Amino acid sequence: MVRTWNRTSIYILFIKITVMKKTRILITLALVAFCAIFLFTECERDYSCTMKVVCRVFDGVDTGKVAANAHVVVGKEEYAEHARAEGYTNDKGIFLHVFPYPALLDVTVTYYDTVHNASGGVDSVLFTGAGRVQLYESETTEKLILLMETQR
């Protein structure tokens, strides 16, 4: 059986071939675009952690006295630069700092205060406290440091 080509059958064949080519091109472009999106873009995660240190003076009975302007040192000398901080507490005895990554950090606090002595004079007293703070990703971690009298 010999196929005869008329004008309509040639036109239909041309349309089928054109549609198939366009479909291949569109699928190829879609795959390239999909791959480009995932290869050339990146998701930036926020690893930052906020540390809140609350400092209170412990006098043996009460822990209600706020340690305003206490000196706070976070980390040690051998720690990486991004894992260290230093500063002073505010009027409410709170020290806030944001670290770029989660970590387990050492905290040391020193505070000088004046105390009335038995002879009616005023003594300068050093209070110190220490602790460890575990920082978690994208969270605020609060740590209470009780300062005890160490030297008069």
Side-chain angles (χ1 to χ4, degrees):
M1 186 167 149
V2 176
R3 176 152 178 119
T4 58
W5 292 96
N6 61 16
R7 205 174 190 184
T8 307
S9 60
I10 292 174
Y11 182 69
I12 291 173
L13 183 63
F14 176 74
I15 290 175
K16 284 182 181 180
I17 292 172
T18 306
V19 169
M20 287 174 54
K21 284 183 180 179
K22 285 183 180 179
T23 305
R24 282 188 201 152
I25 291 172
L26 286 175
I27 289 173
T28 304
L29 286 175
L31 286 173
V32 168
F34 183 76
C35 292
I37 287 172
F38 286 105
L39 290 176
F40 299 114
T41 61
E42 60 184 61
C43 298
E44 290 194 25
R45 288 180 61 183
D46 182 21
Y47 294 100
S48 66
C49 316
T50 303
M51 180 184 68
K52 180 179 180 181
V53 177
V54 180
C55 300
R56 300 281 189 255
V57 176
F58 180 69
D59 62 2
V61 178
D62 188 21
T63 60
K65 184 175 180 187
V66 174
N69 295 321
H71 185 245
V72 179
V73 177
V74 179
K76 297 179 181 177
E77 280 189 34
E78 60 266 12
Y79 285 13
E81 187 65 35
H82 65 268
R84 293 187 298 199
E86 189 173 344
Y88 292 89
T89 59
N90 62 13
D91 294 337
K92 296 178 182 176
I94 297 173
F95 174 77
L96 285 171
H97 189 77
V98 178
F99 291 93
Y101 302 106
L104 176 63
L105 301 172
D106 294 313
V107 179
T108 306
V109 182
T110 55
Y111 174 70
Y112 286 96
D113 197 9
T114 55
V115 177
H116 295 285
N117 59 23
S119 62
V122 176
D123 290 338
S124 179
V125 180
L126 172 65
F127 293 90
T128 59
R132 283 200 169 154
V133 180
Q134 175 67 55
L135 301 177
Y136 297 99
E137 185 178 315
S138 303
E139 290 184 17
T140 298
T141 305
E142 183 172 326
K143 178 72 173 183
L144 174 66
I145 303 287
L146 295 177
L147 306 174
M148 301 183 78
E149 181 178 332
T150 55
Q151 169 184 346
R152 219 177 247 241

